[in-house]
């Protein structure tokens, strides 16, 4: 059986993006994958997210490479050892998928030698409009000129690619998390996950999913250091008032301060923390809510679930966004600094009596972003599955 190596980035979004591809390679071609993680927080995030952890074990295994080593000398030896292992793997024909790993020294040396066996992947399955807000949120996205000969495109935003020329072979694969293979994988397992991790929650009327981020400073907010805590408190208060017996599943980010969360919900009924994957949560959700746009909302939107952002953007951001969310493509309702309007919209969404009628998470729903395979997807999968 053929094996491939997949080197993911420090943020889980890259793992999320590539997993549907690896599942398809496993189920259609019998290809197993070694998912390499070299960051401690990413390793922790994978093992806390039971769906991602189980999916990695389904398609192969995780290989955690010394991200917690503090000694610089030992880290250097680990890096040299990993360089040697990759050299031996590549020289014997192993294909490697990555997100920029071979564009950084010393691994860019291998990139120049074995570029035809390396496949640079986009990190995000969805197209976003973050670029126009970079200056406000003080971000400077790194521009990459891939050493890899092969470049795999999942969305239409190519702004992070500095130079693409005749040397590169481009595969227009398309969105990975709307593919039938991923949707089927999640659909088969969602009920089991809810029974295992939320067996004491009545989901007969669906649930409200509340996506959290950090409570730290956010430059796009009216009060960079205070808006997120204020929004969180307001959101909990509104939901507590209007939700009735519909449970609220709160999904924290890896950097969320859980002390703040627990303090706010300790005397509230039917509020629960969850670490299930957004695609699983979407199978039972009436609505996804966030206070600062998260790419998780794209997952919900793609599966036909209503999305609401109740935020507190400062005026300069509102002017640039023209009164919309920073991720407007995937937000159905955007409310800025108006808790009464937020209350009105949530009440309207959850007021429909039948969850089955209101739940738009179905392939036939017009809001659902369906699997749109591109002409290059099968070619890419076939090439990966073919021995060198």
């Amino acid at each position: 059986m053929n094996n491939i190596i997949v080197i993911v980035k420090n943020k889980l979004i890259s793992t999320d993006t590539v997993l549907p591809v690896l599942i398809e390679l496993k189920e259609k071609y019998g290809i197993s994958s070694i998912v390499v993680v070299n960051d401690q927080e990413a390793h922790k995030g994978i093992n806390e997210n039971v769906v991602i952890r189980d999916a990695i074990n389904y398609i192969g295994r995780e290989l955690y490479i010394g991200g917690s080593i503090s000694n610089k000398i030992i880290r250097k030896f680990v890096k040299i050892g990993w360089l040697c292992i990759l050299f031996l793997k590549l020289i014997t024909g192993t294909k490697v998928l990555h997100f920029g790993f071979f564009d950084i020294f010393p691994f860019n040396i291998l990139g120049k030698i074995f570029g035809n066996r390396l496949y640079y992947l986009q990190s995000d399955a969805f197209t976003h409009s973050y670029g126009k807000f970079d200056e406000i949120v003080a971000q400077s996205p790194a521009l990459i000129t891939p050493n890899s000969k092969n470049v795999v495109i999942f969305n239409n935003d190519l702004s992070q690619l500095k130079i693409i020329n005749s040397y590169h072979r481009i595969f227009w694969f398309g969105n990975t998390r709307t593919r039938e293979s991923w949707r089927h994988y999640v659909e088969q397992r969602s009920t089991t996950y809810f029974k295992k991790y939320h067996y004491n929650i009545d989901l007969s009327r669906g649930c409200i999913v509340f996506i959290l981020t950090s409570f730290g400073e956010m430059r796009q907010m009216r009060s960079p250091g205070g808006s997120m805590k204020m929004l969180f408190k307001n959101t909990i208060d509104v939901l507590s008032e209007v939700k009735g017996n519909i449970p609220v599943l709160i999904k924290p980010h890896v950097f969320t301060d859980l002390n703040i969360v627990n303090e706010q919900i300790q005397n509230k009924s039917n509020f629960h923390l969850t670490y299930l994957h957004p695609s699983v949560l979407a199978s039972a959700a009436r609505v996804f809510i966030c206070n600062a746009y998260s790419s998780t909302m794209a997952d919900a939107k793609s599966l036909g679930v209503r999305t609401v952002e109740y935020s507190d953007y400062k005026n300069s951001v509102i002017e640039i966004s023209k009164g919309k969310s920073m991720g407007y493509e995937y937000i159905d309702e955007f409310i800025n600094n108006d808790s009464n309007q937020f209350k009105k919209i949530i009440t309207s969404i959850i007021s429909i009596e039948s969850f089955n009628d209101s739940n738009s998470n179905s392939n036939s729903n017009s809001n659902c972003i369906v699997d749109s395979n591109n002409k290059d997807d099968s070619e890419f999968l076939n090439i990966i599955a073919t021995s060198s």
Side-chain angles (χ1 to χ4, degrees):
M1 180 182 292
N2 295 325
N3 292 313
I4 61 172
I5 294 174
V6 185
I7 305 175
V8 297
K9 294 177 73 173
N10 295 346
K11 293 185 177 180
L12 283 185
I13 189 171
S14 64
T15 308
D16 241 351
T17 296
V18 75
L19 270 177
V21 178
L22 305 184
I23 288 172
E24 208 157 329
L25 285 168
K26 177 72 173 182
E27 294 180 343
K28 291 185 177 180
Y29 302 93
I31 303 294
S32 294
S33 304
I34 299 173
V35 178
V36 179
V37 181
N38 57 19
D39 177 78
Q40 188 175 15
E41 286 297 329
H43 173 67
K44 177 184 176 184
I46 285 172
N47 284 278
E48 286 182 348
N49 190 314
V50 293
V51 179
I52 290 180
R53 182 197 65 201
D54 290 351
I56 289 176
N57 291 334
Y58 175 73
I59 54 89
R61 64 185 178 93
E62 179 199 4
L63 178 61
Y64 179 42
I65 305 291
S68 60
I69 298 174
S70 58
N71 187 289
K72 291 183 179 180
I73 296 176
I74 296 177
R75 275 209 313 268
K76 185 172 291 187
F77 275 109
V78 169
K79 186 175 290 187
I80 292 171
W82 181 223
L83 187 69
C84 294
I85 291 171
L86 284 173
F87 176 81
L88 293 173
K89 288 289 186 180
L90 288 165
I91 206 169
T92 57
T94 300
K95 298 182 175 72
V96 182
L97 314 185
H98 71 102
F99 295 86
F101 182 82
F102 291 97
D103 301 309
I104 301 171
F105 182 82
F107 301 99
N108 59 348
I109 299 171
L110 297 181
K112 295 180 185 299
I113 299 173
F114 299 104
N116 62 320
R117 292 176 186 165
L118 305 176
Y119 294 78
Y120 171 83
L121 312 180
Q122 274 186 308
S123 296
D124 198 340
F126 297 93
T127 301
H128 285 97
S129 303
Y130 296 145
K132 66 178 72 173
F133 302 98
D134 285 344
E135 184 175 346
I136 288 177
V137 299
Q139 290 183 351
S140 300
L143 298 178
I144 296 174
T145 302
N147 274 323
S148 309
K149 180 178 179 63
N150 308 287
V151 178
V152 185
I153 304 299
F154 299 132
N155 69 70
N156 295 326
D157 181 12
L158 307 182
S159 59
Q160 81 279 15
L161 300 180
K162 185 176 182 181
I163 298 176
I164 293 291
N165 53 40
S166 58
Y167 165 75
H168 297 102
R169 181 177 186 181
I170 309 297
F171 295 90
W172 291 88
F173 191 90
N175 193 317
T176 61
R177 293 210 292 280
T178 58
R179 293 180 72 82
E180 185 60 33
S181 56
W182 173 245
R183 294 164 66 88
H184 180 67
Y185 176 88
V186 171
E187 183 180 323
Q188 281 189 317
R189 293 162 175 80
S190 289
T191 300
T192 300
Y193 278 120
F194 280 118
K195 286 182 178 179
K196 182 174 182 179
Y197 294 100
H198 296 303
Y199 59 88
N200 59 335
I201 301 176
D202 180 5
L203 295 169
S204 61
R205 300 192 68 235
C207 65
I208 298 167
V209 177
F210 185 11
I211 303 297
L212 303 187
T213 184
S214 168
F215 293 118
E217 181 172 317
M218 290 203 173
R219 293 174 181 265
Q220 70 266 36
M221 296 299 172
R222 193 185 313 270
S223 171
S227 285
M228 293 307 298
K229 293 179 183 177
M230 177 272 292
L231 290 165
F232 176 70
K233 180 181 184 303
N234 289 354
T235 302
I236 295 297
D237 287 344
V238 167
L239 293 179
S240 182
E241 181 180 349
V242 306
K243 69 180 180 60
N245 60 0
I246 299 175
V248 177
L249 299 184
I250 301 174
K251 183 171 176 58
H253 188 273
V254 66
F255 295 118
T256 299
D257 185 340
L258 293 180
N259 290 324
I260 295 175
V261 177
N262 290 325
E263 181 181 350
Q264 194 61 42
I265 67 173
Q266 62 180 348
N267 295 320
K268 304 287 195 303
S269 66
N270 224 0
F271 285 82
H272 312 270
L273 290 177
T274 184
Y275 293 94
L276 294 181
H277 192 277
S279 295
V280 172
L281 296 173
S283 68
R286 285 176 174 262
V287 62
F288 268 51
I289 300 169
C290 66
N291 295 143
Y293 180 75
S294 163
S295 58
T296 297
M297 306 303 276
D299 283 285
K301 178 70 173 178
S302 73
L303 294 169
V305 178
R306 294 285 296 278
T307 55
V308 175
E309 180 178 353
Y310 165 49
S311 197
D312 189 32
Y313 293 176
K314 59 186 178 183
N315 291 337
S316 57
V317 175
I318 288 294
E319 290 174 5
I320 295 174
S321 70
K322 298 180 179 179
K324 299 179 180 180
S325 166
M326 290 174 64
Y328 64 88
E329 302 97 329
Y330 308 104
I331 295 295
D332 293 313
E333 302 284 353
F334 175 71
I335 307 102
N336 199 57
N337 194 31
D338 189 340
S339 60
N340 290 327
Q341 180 65 9
F342 172 62
K343 178 180 177 181
K344 179 180 177 181
I345 287 173
I346 294 300
T347 301
S348 174
I349 291 174
I350 66 175
S351 64
I352 302 174
E353 286 297 322
S354 172
F355 165 60
N356 291 328
D357 291 339
S358 65
N359 182 19
S360 57
N361 182 24
S362 65
N363 292 336
S364 61
N365 188 275
S366 61
N367 290 328
C368 192
I369 302 174
V370 297
D371 179 5
S372 54
N373 296 352
N374 287 276
K375 63 183 180 65
D376 293 343
D377 61 347
S378 295
E379 181 183 7
F380 166 69
L381 293 172
N382 285 328
I383 289 174
I384 295 298
T386 302
S387 298
S388 300

